[in-house]
């Protein structure tokens, strides 16, 4: 299972200060709580799927690709400006160089190549079985 995320801003403790949040009204709090809920949902989905694949001793068959530290306009889902698209391309290129997790030092680039080979090999195996 290749799980592609849309990215999150999950470092909320580094994003907002107590002084800033003390001045917020209800609408600002609702917007931030929505972002936190979205991030939590993403993390929990990854956790559940990862746990299921580990329980089946198939953790190599699951890869979640997600940037969890989006900043600035890259967090806006409705900003399709050329500048933001270029920023998102840069986010993706930087993500390829990052390790998949603290437990897995493999970079996303290496993991995606491994995953593509795994899928290709399985497709070839199915095609060979179908020809018999």
């Amino acid at each position: 299972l290749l799980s592609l995320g849309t990215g999150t801003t999950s470092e909320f403790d580094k994003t907002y200060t107590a002084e800033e949040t003390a001045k917020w009204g209800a609408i600002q709090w609702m917007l931030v709580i929505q972002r936190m809920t979205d991030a939590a949902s993403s993390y929990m989905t990854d956790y559940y799927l990862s746990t299921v694949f580990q329980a089946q001793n198939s953790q190599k068959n699951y890869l979640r690709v997600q940037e969890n530290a989006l900043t600035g306009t890259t967090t806006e889902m409705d900003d399709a400006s050329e500048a933001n698209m270029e920023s998102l391309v840069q986010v993706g290129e930087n993500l390829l160089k990052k390790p998949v997790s603290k437990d897995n030092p493999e970079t996303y680039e290496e993991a995606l190549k491994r995953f593509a080979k795994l899928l290709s090999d399985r497709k070839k195996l199915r095609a060979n079985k179908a020809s018999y």
Side-chain angles (χ1 to χ4, degrees):
L1 174 64
L2 177 60
S3 176
L4 301 176
T6 58
T8 65
T9 305
S10 60
E11 296 183 342
F12 296 102
D13 60 327
K14 296 174 185 138
T15 306
Y16 307 108
T17 64
E19 294 80 22
E20 180 184 8
T21 59
K23 300 172 189 167
W24 287 358
I27 295 196
Q28 183 64 33
W29 275 109
M30 286 188 327
L31 293 172
V32 172
I33 289 171
Q34 178 63 44
R35 286 188 202 128
M36 288 179 179
T37 303
D38 290 345
S41 175
S42 176
Y43 278 122
M44 291 311 299
T45 299
D46 179 36
Y47 175 78
Y48 290 137
L49 288 171
S50 180
T51 301
V52 167
F53 277 85
Q54 286 177 13
Q56 299 296 320
N57 200 23
S58 299
Q59 54 268 34
K60 292 285 186 183
N61 294 331
Y62 173 68
L63 178 60
R64 173 73 173 167
V65 179
Q66 167 98 331
E67 175 57 71
N68 291 315
L70 293 178
T71 60
T73 60
T74 60
T75 64
E76 304 299 324
M77 293 235 184
D78 61 350
D79 184 350
S81 67
E82 188 172 334
N84 198 44
M85 293 295 106
E86 289 173 8
S87 294
L88 288 169
V89 167
Q90 190 61 50
V91 167
E93 289 174 353
N94 293 341
L95 182 62
L96 287 173
K97 295 170 181 55
K98 289 183 179 181
V100 171
S101 70
K102 292 176 185 173
D103 300 329
N104 182 357
E106 180 180 44
T107 66
Y108 278 104
E109 182 175 17
E110 294 165 340
L112 285 166
K113 286 178 181 177
R114 175 186 53 77
F115 212 77
K117 179 161 179 18
L118 176 70
L119 292 173
S120 175
D121 290 348
R122 287 189 179 173
K123 183 178 179 182
K124 288 175 188 173
L125 182 63
R126 283 193 308 272
N128 286 338
K129 286 182 179 179
S131 67
Y132 290 110

